Amino acid sequence: MSVRDLHVDPERGFSGGETQVLALATHLRDHGHDVLVAAHPGGPLAARLAERGIATTPLECRFGHDPRAGWALRMAARRFRADVVHHHTARALSLAPYVPRDLVQVVTRRMDYAPRGAGPYVRWLYGRMDAVIAISRAARDALAERGIDADRVTIVPSGVAVETFAGLERAAARAALGVDQDAPVVAIVASLHERKGHAVLLDALARLARSGGAPLCLAAGTGPEGDALQDRAQRRGIAGRVRWLGQVADVRPVLAAADVVAMPSLAEGLGVAAIEAMAAGRPVVASAVGGLPELIADGEHGLLVPPADAAALAAALARCLGDPALRARLGASGRLRAEAFSTLAMARGTASVYERALAARRRGPRPGTTE
């Protein structure tokens, strides 16, 4: 019997979480699931789903617990005759009380910090779920801080279509981007939010500039910190060494053009951008925060530095940029490591969670709940 899954992601923007929803919905649809995604109307996620022929239903959630959005989701679930309703963001999860209780509900937690809100309410909200997915041990541990039983949480790491990142052509990518073939290049692919650590990277680049070795930085992504970051680069005297690329539909040319990929996050559930860089064979210099140490073994798959430490980040970047053999070794090892984080593995793990939750429902209500 085909599973009918309704995925809920009403966010207006498009970042790592939406990348995962797009990949998961595509894979499940292609492998026999009936898939519907509740997404912000006219948003980038809805547009990309439409390009792949995946059905969507409009869900405009003005704020967490928006009752109008909640009732819209409830009606969409009934019309679609959903078996599983899968919440992919905190905003989506806030609408869970509106979902009919006879439907299986699943939530994925992607953040490495505890859910916000009053403890009893958070526990009640997660307690309504038939299954909880965390993308890393760090994300699972953050849930435990709020009293959510770790035994109820299944770890299903984020996935990347690793095969699509193989054999990227460096020279062609640099030519297309107008980057000198011999220039040292650092790339960062991340939304322009404070937690992604762009400010730390700019400070590290300024340190390298003072020592006469500032690389060119390609920064792909958009977000609320954009103007402040450009001002910071200007004040640090490195505005000419940073190219703000904005939202990039295909990150592969950016990665192909890079010598090193930086991920100076202050918080990170796992790190899709790091997996993509590793799949592309590019060495990653990342913060030892959240799920990143689960992905990267320091000195084996990349280099790890303390978070918010511009001096350590600058030293690691200089080390990597100055040592072609190290870059080649880390890139090759990282590529092999990335194969464990494929879209296929992520989708299979998620489908297995659905199957177990549906089977448990057939046996009766989960202990501690009422129908």
Side-chain angles (χ1 to χ4, degrees):
M1 182 182 71
S2 174
V3 176
R4 301 177 66 84
D5 18 287
L6 172 57
H7 299 266
V8 189
D9 186 329
E11 306 307 314
R12 293 174 178 270
F14 193 94
S15 58
E18 285 64 50
T19 299
Q20 294 299 295
V21 174
L22 180 62
L24 178 62
T26 301
H27 182 94
L28 293 176
R29 187 274 311 271
D30 292 347
H31 288 78
H33 286 230
D34 290 323
V35 173
L36 177 67
V37 182
H40 186 79
L45 176 58
R48 297 192 192 194
L49 288 162
E51 290 172 358
R52 300 190 182 191
I54 296 172
T56 63
T57 186
L59 185 65
E60 187 170 1
C61 190
R62 299 163 297 170
F63 46 82
H65 316 285
D66 181 351
R68 187 170 67 182
W71 283 106
L73 177 61
R74 182 183 182 89
M75 289 186 289
R78 281 299 190 214
R79 285 194 305 269
F80 181 59
R81 304 192 311 279
D83 298 309
V84 176
V85 178
H86 189 160
H87 305 281
H88 289 276
T89 71
R91 192 186 301 265
L93 180 62
S94 76
L95 306 179
Y98 294 90
V99 174
R101 290 291 281 155
D102 59 315
L103 304 183
V104 165
Q105 293 197 74
V106 177
V107 63
T108 291
R109 179 67 181 175
R110 305 184 192 282
M111 303 301 182
D112 64 334
Y113 50 83
R116 298 186 176 96
Y121 174 73
V122 169
R123 290 190 292 275
W124 175 78
L125 196 57
Y126 274 86
R128 293 179 67 88
M129 297 297 105
D130 293 85
V132 179
I133 294 172
I135 64 170
S136 64
R137 292 192 301 272
R140 180 198 60 194
D141 293 346
L143 290 172
E145 290 179 26
R146 282 295 195 179
I148 297 158
D149 185 358
D151 291 339
R152 292 195 58 225
V153 181
T154 301
I155 296 176
V156 179
S158 300
V160 166
V162 292
E163 66 280 359
T164 67
F165 288 85
L168 299 183
E169 177 52 53
R170 178 181 185 274
R174 288 198 169 200
L177 290 167
V179 175
D180 185 279
Q181 294 292 336
D182 298 322
V185 176
V186 171
I188 179 170
V189 179
S191 60
L192 305 184
H193 286 83
E194 182 179 2
R195 69 178 184 275
K196 294 298 185 179
H198 291 80
V200 182
L201 176 59
L202 294 177
D203 291 350
L205 295 174
R207 285 175 173 269
L208 294 176
R210 289 195 293 271
S211 63
L216 174 66
C217 179
L218 301 176
T222 59
E225 296 294 312
D227 290 342
L229 290 170
Q230 291 188 44
D231 289 345
R232 191 183 192 97
Q234 189 72 43
R235 293 196 307 272
R236 297 292 188 270
I238 56 170
R241 302 302 298 164
V242 183
R243 286 181 50 186
W244 304 97
L245 302 179
Q247 188 69 47
V248 175
D250 185 356
V251 302
R252 290 175 296 179
V254 179
L255 298 176
D259 295 302
V260 180
V261 175
M263 198 154 184
S265 304
L266 307 180
E268 197 68 57
L270 183 61
V272 169
I275 301 171
E276 291 175 339
M278 294 162 69
R282 297 303 184 264
V284 179
V285 176
S287 302
V289 68
L292 286 167
E294 300 174 38
L295 173 63
I296 300 167
D298 184 34
E300 182 177 351
H301 310 116
L303 300 180
L304 295 177
V305 298
D309 190 333
L313 179 59
L317 290 173
R319 177 187 171 195
C320 217
L321 289 168
D323 190 339
L326 175 64
R327 292 201 304 273
R329 179 173 64 80
L330 294 177
S333 180
R335 184 184 292 114
L336 291 174
R337 174 65 172 153
E339 292 177 0
F341 297 87
S342 67
T343 298
L344 176 60
M346 180 266 290
R348 284 179 172 172
T350 303
S352 178
V353 170
Y354 294 173
E355 291 166 8
R356 292 196 300 273
L358 287 165
R361 272 299 187 101
R362 287 192 290 269
R363 292 193 296 270
R366 186 169 50 78
T369 67
T370 58
E371 292 297 309

